[in-house]
């Protein structure tokens, strides 16, 4: 009995530790990226994204091939181009749009808009893939939509370009999640193997556009910046931390339940918003804060509803309003692996 109690306490401690280190890496990467764009005046989101992909490629190779901390999931060469490459393209767009939005809008606003991803996922699956969902799923999305609208209307540092980049980033995240259900069918990828396969492709996709569009600007920045080498250390450090974030996601997924992961993910957004405000002091109106809070509560409620529906037994009666279709109500994403990268 005493051993069971000690094991339970250790499990609780390990879960708390995994969540805290996940929060730490996530918030640090977001703040560093914003610092790079705003304080270092390095306004080149494609190049920053490319640095992240390069560091993640190297990090995943070291973890899997050198340290052998994770077994390699073998993928057929044909599937790498037929399945992994399209996923990598969407993955690349998702990261780039996130960094572009960070350049133009505050972290608080960007993180709130990213919380719109569950709604875009449901709508895309309904419109394009003709999937049907319980009415409770649709109802649970209402607070998220309302919170996003209130936040957008009352945002004091609103920028159309940054807003659109963040919104299309949500669509890219949703598309990546949906494509993963079909393209990666048969492969049980974890976050490290995902980075191992996708980051090199993403680097290849983004390398040339970053060089052509931002190369001259980077040279000018290098000549004009008072301490470019120390700034470059910060930029590459953000890339290393971006990989560590993926590793921390793997750790937290295996240390917590789906419900805990969902709640912790939404609290993480609140932590990121608070820390960014403490550092950058971007103006936040009371109604804007209320909108952000409604959005986060809505995301938590949506995760709870989705989890409860996934726990229903196959023979459990459905509500009469649910379409009687041979297609089962499938999870929008893996209970734990909703786009957190």
């Amino acid at each position: 009995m005493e051993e069971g109690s000690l094991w339970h306490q250790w499990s609780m401690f390990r879960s708390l530790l995994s969540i805290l280190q996940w929060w730490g890496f996530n918030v640090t990467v977001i703040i560093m990226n914003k610092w790079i764009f705003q304080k270092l005046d390095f306004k080149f989101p494609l190049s920053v994204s490319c640095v992240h992909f390069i560091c993640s490629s190297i990090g995943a190779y070291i973890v899997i091939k050198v340290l052998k901390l994770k077994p390699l999931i073998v993928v057929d060469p044909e599937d790498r181009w037929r399945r992994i490459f399209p996923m990598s393209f969407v993955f690349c767009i998702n990261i780039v749009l996130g960094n572009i939005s960070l350049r133009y809008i505050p972290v608080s606003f960007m993180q709130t808009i990213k919380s719109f991803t569950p709604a875009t996922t449901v709508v895309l699956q309904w419109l394009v893939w003709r999937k049907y969902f319980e009415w409770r799923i649709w109802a649970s999305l209402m607070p998220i939509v309302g919170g996003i609208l209130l936040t957008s209307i009352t945002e004091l540092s609103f920028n159309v370009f940054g807003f659109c980049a963040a919104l299309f980033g949500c669509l890219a995240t949703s598309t990546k999640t949906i494509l993963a259900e079909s393209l990666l069918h048969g492969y049980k990828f974890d976050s490290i193997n995902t980075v191992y396969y996708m980051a090199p492709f993403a680097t290849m996709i983004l390398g040339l556009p970053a060089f052509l569009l931002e190369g001259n600007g980077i040279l000018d920045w290098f000549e004009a910046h008072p301490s470019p080498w120390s700034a470059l250390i910060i930029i590459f450090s953000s890339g290393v931390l971006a990989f560590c974030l993926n590793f921390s996601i793997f750790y937290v997924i295996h240390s917590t339940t789906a419900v805990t992961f969902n709640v912790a993910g939404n609290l993480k957004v609140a932590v990121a918003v608070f820390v960014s405000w403490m550092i950058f002091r971007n103006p936040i109106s009371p109604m804007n804060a209320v909108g952000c809070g409604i959005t986060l509560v809505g995301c938590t409620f949506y995760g709870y509803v989705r989890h409860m529906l996934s726990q229903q037994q196959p023979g459990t009666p459905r509500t009469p309003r649910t379409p009687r279709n041979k297609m089962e109500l499938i999870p929008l994403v893996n209970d734990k692996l909703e786009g957190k990268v």
Side-chain angles (χ1 to χ4, degrees):
M1 189 73 178
E2 191 172 326
E3 288 184 3
S5 176
L6 288 174
W7 174 252
H8 178 71
Q9 290 178 3
W10 166 246
S11 297
M12 292 286 290
F13 176 76
R14 188 179 65 173
S15 297
L16 179 61
L17 186 65
S18 67
I19 290 171
L20 290 176
Q21 55 88 31
W22 175 43
W23 282 4
F25 282 123
N26 191 282
V27 173
T28 303
V29 168
I30 293 171
I31 298 301
M32 284 188 73
N33 286 351
K34 186 64 177 178
W35 186 275
I36 288 167
F37 295 132
Q38 185 169 320
K39 301 296 184 179
L40 299 183
D41 203 34
F42 190 85
K43 302 185 183 302
F44 309 104
L46 299 184
S47 299
V48 171
S49 301
C50 209
V51 167
H52 287 191
F53 293 143
I54 292 170
C55 292
S56 294
S57 300
I58 296 172
Y61 181 86
I62 292 174
V63 167
I64 293 176
K65 291 289 191 177
V66 180
L67 301 178
K68 299 186 184 301
L69 297 177
K70 277 294 297 177
L72 175 66
I73 298 175
V74 180
V75 178
D76 295 334
E78 182 182 349
D79 281 347
R80 294 187 186 188
W81 289 98
R82 188 165 55 91
R83 297 188 180 193
I84 304 297
F85 184 79
M87 286 288 300
S88 303
F89 184 78
V90 180
F91 171 70
C92 178
I93 292 175
N94 178 33
I95 299 299
V96 169
L97 287 173
N99 283 330
I100 290 175
S101 66
L102 267 180
R103 177 185 168 183
Y104 291 100
I105 59 178
V107 172
S108 56
F109 191 32
M110 178 262 198
Q111 286 286 293
T112 306
I113 296 173
K114 280 192 69 176
S115 301
F116 195 54
T117 302
T120 56
T121 304
V122 171
V123 172
L124 275 179
Q125 286 196 316
W126 178 63
L127 286 177
V128 181
W129 281 269
R130 299 300 180 186
K131 301 287 176 62
Y132 293 95
F133 301 100
E134 287 271 6
W135 67 269
R136 284 169 285 186
I137 288 287
W138 293 104
S140 67
L141 293 174
M142 292 299 103
I144 301 177
V145 176
I148 293 291
L149 286 175
L150 180 59
T151 305
S152 302
I153 293 171
T154 58
E155 175 57 46
L156 300 176
S157 305
F158 186 86
N159 179 282
V160 175
F161 190 67
F163 172 78
C164 291
L167 194 59
F168 281 109
C170 291
L171 291 173
T173 302
S174 299
T175 303
K176 177 171 68 75
T177 299
I178 296 168
L179 287 178
E181 293 178 359
S182 55
L183 292 180
L184 301 185
H185 179 71
Y187 293 105
K188 294 184 178 180
F189 279 114
D190 52 64
S191 58
I192 305 301
N193 273 276
T194 300
V195 171
Y196 178 84
Y197 283 108
M198 291 188 186
F201 274 134
T203 305
M204 182 178 67
I205 292 167
L206 192 59
L208 185 60
F211 175 76
L212 293 176
L213 296 175
E214 298 180 347
N216 291 332
I218 291 175
L219 291 176
D220 294 337
W221 171 87
F222 197 84
E223 293 176 356
H225 199 277
S227 52
W229 291 109
S230 59
L232 285 176
I233 290 174
I234 295 174
I235 293 169
F236 277 91
S237 296
S238 74
V240 174
L241 289 173
F243 167 73
C244 292
L245 172 60
N246 285 283
F247 199 80
S248 71
I249 291 172
F250 161 75
Y251 182 37
V252 75
I253 283 170
H254 288 271
S255 303
T256 62
T257 63
V259 174
T260 302
F261 186 80
N262 172 61
V263 174
N266 292 314
L267 288 176
K268 171 182 63 65
V269 175
V271 172
V273 169
F274 178 74
V275 173
S276 70
W277 178 79
M278 289 291 293
I279 294 174
F280 299 105
R281 294 293 179 176
N282 55 286
I284 299 177
S285 67
M287 290 305 295
N288 189 258
V290 170
C292 181
I294 292 173
T295 303
L296 297 183
V297 171
C299 288
T300 304
F301 179 62
Y302 161 80
Y304 172 76
V305 170
R306 193 185 67 191
H307 176 73
M308 294 301 294
L309 290 175
S310 70
Q311 297 302 304
Q312 285 185 348
Q313 297 299 321
T316 303
R318 301 284 186 183
T319 173
R321 292 185 62 187
T322 303
R324 295 181 178 179
N325 190 288
K326 64 180 181 180
M327 188 182 300
E328 295 289 336
L329 178 68
I330 63 172
L332 304 182
V333 291
N334 180 295
D335 270 345
K336 293 182 176 184
L337 279 176
E338 188 166 345
K340 301 288 182 185
V341 183

